[in-house]
Amino acid sequence: PLLEAPTEGQRIVADYASVGLTLGRHPMALLRDRLARNRLLTAAELSCVAHGRVVRTAGIVLMRQRPQSANGVTFLTLEDESGQVNVIVWERVGSEQRRPLLEARLMEIHGE
């Protein structure tokens, strides 16, 4: 063949670039081994963690909301291959991390 077949990652990137989704594996699945080595939990694993425990997770940013009634609090929804995670970002953290909070398409979160 004159051209090499694209890698799975290249196909996923092309899918998202052209139609905004993929019928293949979730993009986070490609990163899962590395994320697991760094002790980042999946959305499914978070459901088994005791309330108030400090955790780390990552996902594709699905949405951001900052309602006026929330006094500077930003709400995020992240998605990985196992589900969704709702995140509350307090105003101080949002101010310190303003650019990634507003622009990142993939985000790693540390908190409780």
Side-chain angles (χ1 to χ4, degrees), residues 1-75:
L2 297 175
L3 296 174
E4 291 185 26
T7 65
E8 181 181 21
Q10 290 169 330
R11 285 192 308 273
I12 290 171
V13 168
D15 287 348
Y16 270 87
S18 63
V19 293
L21 59 91
T22 184
L23 297 178
R25 284 197 306 164
H26 193 283
M28 295 300 294
L30 300 178
L31 302 172
R32 185 51 54 200
D33 287 343
R34 181 184 307 170
L35 297 172
R37 280 194 303 274
N38 289 309
R39 299 184 180 167
L40 276 78
L41 302 178
T42 66
E45 291 168 336
L46 288 175
S47 67
C48 301
V49 174
H51 180 73
R53 183 170 160 227
V54 175
V55 295
R56 296 168 54 189
T57 192
I60 293 174
V61 180
L62 293 183
M63 71 93 198
R64 299 168 174 86
Q65 290 182 330
R66 190 173 180 192
Q68 285 189 330
S69 61
N71 298 318
V73 173
T74 302
F75 301 95

Side-chain angles (χ1 to χ4, degrees), residues 88-107:
I88 299 171
V89 181
W90 301 112
E91 184 176 22
R92 179 186 59 79
V93 175
S95 295
E96 292 171 0
Q97 301 293 327
R98 181 172 172 75
R99 189 167 185 181
L101 181 62
L102 296 177
E103 297 177 5
R105 293 168 45 188
L106 176 66
M107 195 175 289

